Amino acid sequence: MSQRRLRLCATGVVATSIAVFGTAIGTTTSSAADHVSTPASRTVAKATAKVATRTTSKVAAARTQAFPSRIFAASSPFYQRLPDRTPTDNQSTAMARNLYDQGVNYYGDKAGRRPAIALNTSSYTPPMYVATNSDPLVTFSWENCQGKTYGDFGLIAKHLTGIRIPANALPAEGTDAEMTIYNQDTDEYTDTWVTRKQNGRWSACWAGTIRNASKNDGVFESPFGASASGIALAAGVIRADELKAGRIDHVVGLAMPAYKGWPSVSWPANRTDGSEPVNGRPAPSAGQLLRLPADLNIDAMKLSPVARTIAKAAQEYGLIIWDTAGAISFRLENPVSMGSDPYPSIMRGRAGWDEMWGDPSRGEQMFPLDKLEVLPMNYRAPQTNWVGGQPGQSTAPSVPSTPAPSPAPSTPTPPPAGVGGSDAGSGNQGRVIVRQAASWSDVKDSAGNTWTRRGDFDSLMTSTELARTGVTGTADQALYAQQVFGLRSYTKAVPNGRYRVTVLMAEDWFTKPGERVFDITAEGSTVSAGVDLVARTGGKGRATSVSADVDVRDGRLDLGFVPIKDRAIVAGVQIAAL
């Protein structure tokens, strides 16, 4: 079990879930069969018309505007066509076979070796609403459906306050109860998960809002959003109008039962609910792209209209791993937001999995799942956005440290009480101008100094493990009760000058050297390479620090935390003017 799972939630059997890196923070415990419409244990001959023609039991009033096919920046990775030639992951063949086998083993036709491919419509896929500033203004309440003890990470304050929602809006059926809102007047995009409207009041267990969506790639800041990968649902949901037109001009999201767990995450995803190990077999990672080869003649294949449309998108734009599900599945726009259900007509009165298999009476073939190729990790990603591995690699490698000279040697000394002396200065420690803790509230150290609450770290993820187990090597337990992890940067506006920067840390989880390693940079130069907290201190829960003298010439002190193995973790930062 990864540290993220233990810290953040109780785990369970999931079909569609939300993850904070290795954590399914939106875990549901309903059976996998509830999450998809698949053949399950029925034989092919007994597929019933009742399943094929089922319509959603709740439909909102007729909408006035269809949800747009594209709302994010034109440069979004989800809107880029693939070139005719693309590289493949060095384990592509084995990964693709694993995917196919999962399709067979999870509700597929095992005798005929045909994989089930579900098309989710009424459940486990979002109704999609276009809102305007004339719609009701809503501030959600937080439904702590998982019994979290560490709060909502600022979910309500930052993401679910002042959201415009059409008066007739309803979430999806099923335990995930997803919903998507795009306010075209403010260019704000919101996904919600475990969404409820009771007595006129809205609540959600998890969610995310993207401001200036038209300038965003379509990925939430971690750990927000309603998919397990951090990818916005609108980026990969198939629209009903796209199926009617026979063309999808964007990447399509693909969910599967088992894929790689943390720390294997591929850009543009920033987290995962993947399970590891995956029966000891190679598997793709959250965010990894798959495609049908450009030279595959789809037009010559006899596919159902729906299967052909999805196959062309898989060839031209690709499929992206974005969620765990009870079977291989795609999300289709939920008819709850449409006013009527178009899918019985689109799918010719058949179930979605039937359409993906094709109609034998029409001589149709199955969707060519067996032809998929897996592209390299972080395909086409800028190097600064690599998350869990370099292009061409299927596992998370070491990230090289910044090739620049250190402005001063690091000073690995355990932090005494009241690091850096009083605000008036102490010896050569300088005059302290900033003490900032990773805690969500101000902290007083044993010398009476106040460390201000978190505000300048770029991660919202919090560890409270040491509040339970304690920390040695310091008199200031409160400074380590909450630590920020998964951060990449810390930025503070300061006058130009020379500063002594001290970073406080303690390993909260790992017990062996090499399990967490990261570099620390200041003003673009490495000040401490290969920080391994267990190796430095001899174990878990032992306070340490890194100090370096830094020259600031642009009015802003920039610290960087470059992950090599797992993620950086920090308890606080002190800045003293020299």
Side-chain angles (χ1 to χ4, degrees), residues 79-165:
Y79 302 153
Q80 309 309 309
R81 287 178 63 104
L82 293 169
D84 287 344
R85 293 186 178 182
T86 49
T88 57
D89 190 283
N90 55 19
Q91 292 185 304
S92 173
T93 300
M95 289 179 179
R97 172 52 59 185
N98 187 357
L99 173 70
Y100 190 93
D101 289 346
Q102 288 186 42
V104 172
N105 294 330
Y106 290 84
Y107 307 102
D109 173 17
K110 293 182 180 180
R113 293 289 300 165
R114 291 189 299 175
I117 305 173
L119 304 180
N120 292 348
T121 56
S122 63
S123 301
Y124 308 101
T125 190
M128 307 176 81
Y129 299 95
V130 176
T132 69
N133 281 345
S134 63
D135 286 315
L137 190 65
V138 173
T139 293
F140 282 69
S141 62
W142 181 42
E143 180 182 342
N144 189 6
C145 67
Q146 297 169 301
K148 300 181 182 71
T149 60
Y150 47 83
D152 73 348
F153 281 94
L155 172 71
I156 299 300
K158 291 188 174 184
H159 294 267
L160 290 179
T161 296
I163 307 298
R164 298 284 182 178
I165 301 180

Side-chain angles (χ1 to χ4, degrees), residues 227-525:
S227 75
S229 55
I231 297 170
L233 295 178
V237 167
I238 298 170
R239 317 295 200 265
D241 286 346
E242 293 170 339
L243 294 178
K244 290 177 183 177
R247 179 153 194 87
I248 301 170
D249 285 313
H250 59 80
V251 170
V252 174
L254 177 67
M256 60 185 293
Y259 52 89
K260 277 189 177 178
W262 182 261
S264 189
V265 178
S266 179
W267 181 86
N270 57 28
R271 49 199 171 92
T272 182
D273 68 344
S275 56
E276 193 172 12
V278 189
N279 300 323
R281 300 177 61 183
S285 301
Q288 201 158 4
L289 276 172
L290 298 84
R291 77 170 303 184
L292 289 174
D295 60 0
L296 180 66
N297 191 346
I298 294 174
D299 292 331
M301 304 177 73
K302 185 69 172 177
L303 302 175
S304 74
V306 168
R308 181 189 180 280
T309 301
I310 297 174
K312 292 291 284 186
Q315 184 177 63
E316 295 173 359
Y317 291 91
L319 310 177
I320 191 164
I321 303 297
W322 68 346
D323 245 326
T324 298
I328 293 172
S329 57
F330 296 103
R331 284 181 170 104
L332 276 57
E333 182 182 11
N334 195 314
V336 165
S337 56
M338 298 182 197
S340 63
D341 188 344
Y343 293 115
S345 173
I346 290 173
M347 297 185 191
R348 306 179 298 180
R350 291 158 51 85
W353 56 265
D354 256 339
E355 286 295 272
M356 297 302 281
W357 276 358
D359 185 352
S361 69
R362 294 180 169 97
E364 292 172 350
Q365 301 171 242
M366 182 178 67
F367 178 86
L369 192 71
D370 60 328
K371 300 294 194 297
L372 285 173
E373 298 176 340
V374 182
L375 274 57
M377 291 280 287
N378 299 307
Y379 175 67
R380 295 200 296 201
Q383 181 170 345
T384 55
N385 286 332
W386 293 354
V387 180
Q390 297 179 9
Q393 295 181 321
S394 57
T395 57
S398 296
V399 179
S401 59
T402 306
S406 301
S410 60
T411 309
T413 55
V419 174
S422 68
D423 290 341
S426 173
N428 65 357
Q429 295 295 315
R431 179 176 58 86
V432 177
I433 62 171
V434 173
R435 289 188 180 94
Q436 190 156 33
S439 171
W440 288 107
S441 58
D442 291 353
V443 177
K444 243 186 214 312
D445 65 27
S446 57
N449 301 311
T450 297
W451 293 67
T452 58
R453 68 190 296 270
R454 182 189 307 192
D456 296 288
F457 302 100
D458 70 347
S459 173
L460 297 173
M461 292 181 292
T462 306
S463 166
T464 59
E465 176 70 9
L466 296 183
R468 182 180 66 84
T469 61
V471 60
T472 61
T474 178
D476 293 308
Q477 297 289 319
L479 276 175
Y480 298 86
Q482 294 183 24
Q483 294 197 91
V484 56
F485 69 93
L487 72 165
R488 293 293 186 117
S489 66
Y490 173 89
T491 301
K492 195 73 174 179
V494 296
N496 289 347
R498 189 168 181 80
Y499 296 90
R500 176 155 298 164
V501 180
T502 302
V503 180
L504 276 61
M505 303 163 288
E507 178 55 57
D508 73 325
W509 186 258
F510 295 114
T511 57
K512 297 177 182 178
E515 293 183 308
R516 184 199 307 278
V517 184
F518 56 94
D519 292 343
I520 301 176
T521 68
E523 297 298 284
S525 297

Side-chain angles (χ1 to χ4, degrees), residues 525-544:
S525 297
T526 301
V527 296
S528 189
V531 176
D532 183 330
L533 299 177
V534 173
R536 290 169 69 89
T537 65
K540 171 188 170 184
R542 300 180 184 182
T544 187

